[in-house]
Amino acid sequence: MNSHIRNTLIFSGLIVALILSASKVDVVEAQRPAQAVVARAFEAGEELFYEAEFSRAFIRKLNVADFRFSASRKQLTGSAANLEGTSEVKPYALTFSADVASKGFFTRLFNLRFRERVESTVEPVSFTIQKTTILDEQGKRVRATEATFDRGKGKMFWTQSDPNDPTREPRTSITDFSGQLQDVLSAIYFIRTQPLETGKSFEIFIGDGGHVYRVPVQVVEKKRMKTILGRVNVVRVDPDLFGPDRLIYNEKGKFSIWLTDDSRHIPVGGRIKTDYGTFDIKLKRVVNNPPG
């Protein structure tokens, strides 16, 4: 199992791909509301727990990984409580966390044990990423990544180091950007804030690894689905991740997410179809999210 597929699981909800290479793009400037944004349902300390299953040829429905996603508010004080370049008060930042770990047959099938922990800090009014930290463990290989996003200067600062070898020179990059930007984790929550009308499409702009990427997202259909929340109405969205000039440029695949068709837009399932096989991700438990 290579890192591209594992990180695609992260984007799915479920689950975002860690990004490879593409051209820099112009990002539509985010509009800043005149007043504080209305609190979203996931801001109440929501936690989502998922399980991923793998299928390929005669291999059917093997549990291969666990996911935990959480959202919360971080209260800010002092100069950090002011919005960038304004006197408006910003009382808090949004903090999103993800913990993804392999388990069971997966580690034997691919001879790989991995764990990835991601934390994203987002400005809640413009919903723009401010900081990303990633700890990526693949067997004995460990990589620590930190990215900071200075919207006022339009700069993304990216650093990756090896905690097992402090003498090794870190990889670094500085990239220009403008407007509203997400990282691999906040993109999940950004999708949840959208209207998600069938037949409509929108784009997400993601910064990672010294690049800025445009991700088209198509709202495909609505239907009833059996989930851990009961039989509920869901909406399916297809982020376009695979192919030339996409997040995963050197592999073929298709990615879908199902979200509840209510104000919460909880991701209840995801499917990633690749040449490696099919990954189905199912929501197993929700903590602290009020009814929509």
Side-chain angles (χ1 to χ4, degrees), residues 26-30 126 128-129 151 154 177-182 205:
D26 293 327
V27 183
V28 177
E29 186 69 25
S126 63
T128 297
I129 186 66
R151 191 179 179 200
F177 77 94
S178 64
Q180 191 177 36
L181 198 65
Q182 307 304 322
F205 300 94

Side-chain angles (χ1 to χ4, degrees), residues 17-252:
L18 291 178
I19 307 162
L20 305 174
S21 62
S23 300
K24 296 178 182 178
V25 298
D26 293 327
V27 183
V28 177
E29 186 69 25
Q31 294 182 348
R32 185 166 289 167
Q35 58 185 11
V37 69
V38 175
R40 305 161 183 96
F42 53 71
E43 294 186 29
E46 176 198 74
E47 290 184 276
L48 304 174
F49 297 84
Y50 297 89
E51 187 174 74
E53 296 177 330
F54 175 77
S55 301
R56 180 179 182 178
F58 298 106
I59 302 174
R60 300 295 180 187
K61 301 293 184 181
L62 296 174
N63 295 333
V64 294
D66 287 327
F67 304 82
R68 175 183 174 273
F69 293 83
S70 64
S72 62
R73 293 185 180 188
K74 179 181 179 181
Q75 298 299 317
L76 302 178
T77 59
S79 60
N82 293 325
L83 287 172
E84 302 163 359
T86 77
S87 60
E88 297 178 51
V89 174
K90 181 181 64 173
Y92 68 94
L94 292 174
T95 300
F96 303 129
S97 299
D99 193 329
V100 183
S102 60
K103 69 175 185 179
F105 181 75
F106 181 83
T107 58
R108 298 190 296 273
L109 178 66
F110 293 102
N111 192 29
L112 173 65
R113 183 182 301 276
F114 70 80
R115 184 178 183 185
E116 182 144 317
R117 283 162 283 182
V118 184
E119 182 171 286
S120 305
T121 302
V122 170
E123 196 285 302
V125 179
S126 63
F127 212 94
T128 297
I129 186 66
Q130 294 181 319
K131 183 177 180 179
T132 307
T133 60
I134 302 172
L135 183 62
D136 181 10
E137 303 173 70
Q138 298 182 45
K140 295 182 179 180
R141 177 188 180 276
V142 181
R143 293 293 181 268
T145 303
E146 179 175 293
T148 56
F149 304 83
D150 189 328
R151 191 179 179 200
K153 296 179 179 179
K155 298 289 184 181
M156 173 174 60
F157 303 89
W158 179 87
T159 302
Q160 186 178 80
S161 59
D162 181 355
N164 291 334
D165 185 3
T167 63
R168 185 174 181 177
E169 189 72 19
R171 297 173 58 198
T172 62
S173 178
I174 301 176
T175 305
D176 295 332
F177 77 94
S178 64
Q180 191 177 36
L181 198 65
Q182 307 304 322
D183 70 1
V184 294
L185 177 57
S186 70
I188 299 169
Y189 292 90
F190 177 78
I191 289 176
R192 296 178 62 181
T193 68
Q194 301 306 296
L196 303 184
E197 298 178 11
T198 304
K200 301 293 185 179
S201 61
F202 57 95
E203 293 180 322
I204 304 175
F205 300 94
I206 300 179
D208 185 87
H211 301 280
V212 174
Y213 303 84
R214 177 185 283 114
V215 180
V217 180
Q218 180 71 37
V219 185
V220 180
E221 65 173 343
K222 293 185 179 182
K223 67 177 184 179
R224 296 278 288 178
M225 178 182 285
K226 184 179 179 181
T227 73
I228 194 67
L229 304 175
R231 192 167 183 83
V232 298
N233 293 325
V234 298
V235 58
R236 173 184 147 202
V237 300
D238 288 358
D240 192 357
L241 301 182
F242 295 88
D245 297 325
R246 298 301 184 203
L247 301 185
I248 305 175
Y249 67 89
N250 60 349
E251 295 176 12
K252 296 180 180 179

